[in-house]
Amino acid sequence: MVGMGVHNTEQGTYDKEEIETLLSNMPAGVVIENKDHEILYMNGFLLRMFGNQVGETCFVGFTGQDTACDPCPVDAIIKEGRDAFSQTIASSDGKFFEITASPIHNPDGSRSVIEIVKDVTDQHKLDQMKSDFIHIVAHEMRTPLAAVIGFNDMLSRRSEGFTYKQKHYIESIAINARKLKQLVDDILDLSYLDAGILKLKRETLPLDELVGEVLATHQALIAEKNHRIQVNIPESLTIECDRQKIARTMSNIVFNAVYYTEINGNIGIAIDNLADEILVTVTDNGIGISEHDLPKIFDRFFMADATLTRLCDRIGIGLTLAKGYIKLHGGEIWVESEIGKGSAFHFTLPKYKIGDNNG
């Protein structure tokens, strides 16, 4: 078996046959492929599913296609030089498999790829049930919430003779109803992103206007913390995008920068006009994000530290939505951060023109 000889440990020595027995009884698939996508080894899990495909190319043996998958674990490891690769794929019979690939360094200096294949169909179904439930609940909340907002607006317009306390109650209802509406809208957008049906409504957006609106939204918190805001935007720079979604993206990032930076902090917003895209960067000198949390920062419902976020009236989907919105536009989003030194969030937007076939 390629890449598997005698293996020594403190407990003893395992030969090729013992390793073969171990792999054959794993509740997951193990396959080894070379740089040309040829299957060199399959364990019992995969043999029972596909029959013996050793010597065949992986895309023919496993999917029946004529070309490599996109993305391809072998290409990611061999050609792109990655140390790890992971993806979830759907089979023709409705099952879902998680594939994790890593390189094998052969004695002759070449590299092969070992892939671990796990059946995650049950987990996928459970995730789908949860998504469906959240979507239904959020959708059903829209009607009563609209009634609350509508009747409260009517009450506000007829509040001339009300006391200060009564007017304060009306304003409090309005503020919290708007927060709840935004939360419902965010949850629905997340479910639409999951389903792949969220659409863009492109328009020409002046970026200085966008930044001004976002800063105005968070002006009270900025003033409370006495932050210094530095904005650097090329004059008259516009972009073709979905105004609501990019404004929401910017708002989520700016809110985090403001909220997680101590008083008298520095917040920077810069936009670079590149050849085929624009680059937006939001920096702060706040608490920063740990190296452990950094890879998970865009995961849904992820909160970096409960002791820091328990007073924040958000549920941890803002950055997940930001990533979804940017990718839907054809851009990229990433973050650089260090504990105690602050963070820098970056995202790009391609310079599409209205009428282009890009959503």
Side-chain angles (χ1 to χ4, degrees):
M1 183 165 56
V2 173
M4 296 184 184
V6 175
H7 179 65
N8 296 304
T9 70
E10 293 180 359
Q11 288 73 33
T13 301
Y14 297 91
D15 60 22
K16 175 181 175 180
E17 287 71 24
E18 289 175 313
I19 295 175
E20 174 73 42
T21 300
L22 177 65
L23 292 179
S24 293
N25 288 282
M26 284 182 61
V30 179
V31 59
I32 298 176
E33 303 160 6
N34 64 18
K35 63 181 179 62
D36 298 317
H37 305 90
E38 292 174 343
I39 299 172
L40 306 177
Y41 168 79
M42 300 169 63
N43 75 338
F45 182 94
L46 292 179
L47 287 170
R48 289 188 291 273
M49 291 180 60
F50 298 99
N52 191 349
Q53 301 293 331
V54 173
E56 186 61 84
T57 56
C58 56
F59 46 86
V60 171
F62 294 145
T63 68
Q65 299 178 0
D66 295 329
T67 57
C69 303
D70 185 18
C72 172
V74 173
D75 290 345
I77 299 297
I78 301 295
K79 295 182 180 179
E80 299 176 23
R82 298 195 205 178
D83 292 327
F85 175 85
S86 181
Q87 68 173 340
T88 299
I89 63 171
S91 65
S92 58
D93 59 357
K95 290 188 175 182
F96 290 83
F97 296 93
E98 181 184 74
I99 300 175
T100 303
S102 301
I104 294 177
H105 299 275
N106 301 317
D108 63 359
S110 65
R111 292 200 301 171
S112 301
V113 176
I114 183 169
E115 299 177 19
I116 308 299
V117 183
K118 293 192 291 186
D119 187 339
V120 293
T121 304
D122 290 342
Q123 181 61 48
H124 181 84
K125 289 180 178 178
L126 180 60
D127 290 343
Q128 187 60 52
M129 289 173 62
K130 290 190 292 186
S131 295
D132 291 345
F133 174 75
I134 291 172
H135 174 83
I136 291 170
V137 170
H139 195 272
E140 290 300 315
M141 288 177 65
R142 273 186 160 179
T143 300
L145 184 56
V148 170
I149 294 173
F151 284 121
N152 192 64
D153 287 345
M154 184 185 301
L155 192 61
S156 178
R157 290 193 296 269
R158 301 181 180 182
S159 62
E160 293 86 356
F162 288 11
T163 65
Y164 172 81
K165 183 178 289 188
Q166 289 170 330
K167 291 181 179 179
H168 175 72
Y169 291 155
I170 294 172
E171 180 60 22
S172 180
I173 292 171
I175 291 172
N176 286 282
R178 286 195 295 270
K179 287 182 179 180
L180 184 55
K181 182 181 182 302
Q182 185 63 68
L183 176 59
V184 169
D185 290 344
D186 284 352
I187 291 173
L188 286 173
D189 270 7
L190 195 58
S191 68
Y192 293 146
L193 278 169
D194 287 341
I197 59 175
L198 190 64
K199 301 298 183 183
L200 299 179
K201 298 178 180 177
R202 296 185 185 276
E203 60 179 284
T204 301
L205 177 61
L207 289 171
D208 57 347
E209 181 179 306
L210 168 68
V211 172
E213 290 175 359
V214 169
L215 290 176
T217 301
H218 303 299
Q219 187 56 48
L221 184 58
I222 292 171
E224 179 184 332
K225 291 202 164 192
N226 196 36
H227 288 333
R228 291 174 292 277
I229 309 296
Q230 183 174 357
V231 177
N232 184 8
I233 305 174
E235 188 176 353
S236 304
L237 181 59
T238 63
I239 191 77
E240 314 293 352
C241 65
D242 187 308
R243 184 188 191 103
Q244 185 271 332
K245 292 174 178 57
I246 297 305
R248 189 69 179 142
T249 296
M250 180 75 80
S251 181
N252 282 323
I253 295 173
V254 170
F255 172 85
N256 286 341
V258 173
Y259 187 86
Y260 294 111
T261 299
E262 298 297 332
I263 59 172
N264 301 318
N266 296 306
I267 310 296
I269 302 175
I271 301 180
D272 293 318
N273 188 11
L274 307 180
D276 299 317
E277 62 187 10
I278 65 161
L279 171 64
V280 180
T281 301
V282 178
T283 58
D284 64 69
N285 62 339
I287 61 174
I289 305 165
S290 71
E291 185 178 353
H292 175 264
D293 288 336
L294 207 55
K296 300 176 286 187
I297 199 67
F298 293 104
D299 293 350
R300 69 189 61 193
F301 308 121
F302 176 75
M303 306 292 274
D305 188 334
T307 61
L308 297 172
T309 58
R310 65 181 182 271
L311 299 178
C312 176
D313 56 349
R314 300 195 171 199
I315 63 171
I317 63 173
L319 292 179
T320 306
L321 280 171
K323 182 177 180 179
Y325 291 155
I326 296 302
K327 284 191 169 295
L328 199 60
H329 280 80
E332 296 292 335
I333 185 169
W334 67 98
V335 59
E336 302 165 332
S337 188
E338 187 175 344
I339 286 290
K341 294 187 177 180
S343 304
F345 280 82
H346 311 271
F347 67 85
T348 61
L349 289 173
K351 293 180 178 177
Y352 295 141
K353 297 296 183 183
I354 293 178
D356 289 352
N357 186 25
N358 292 296

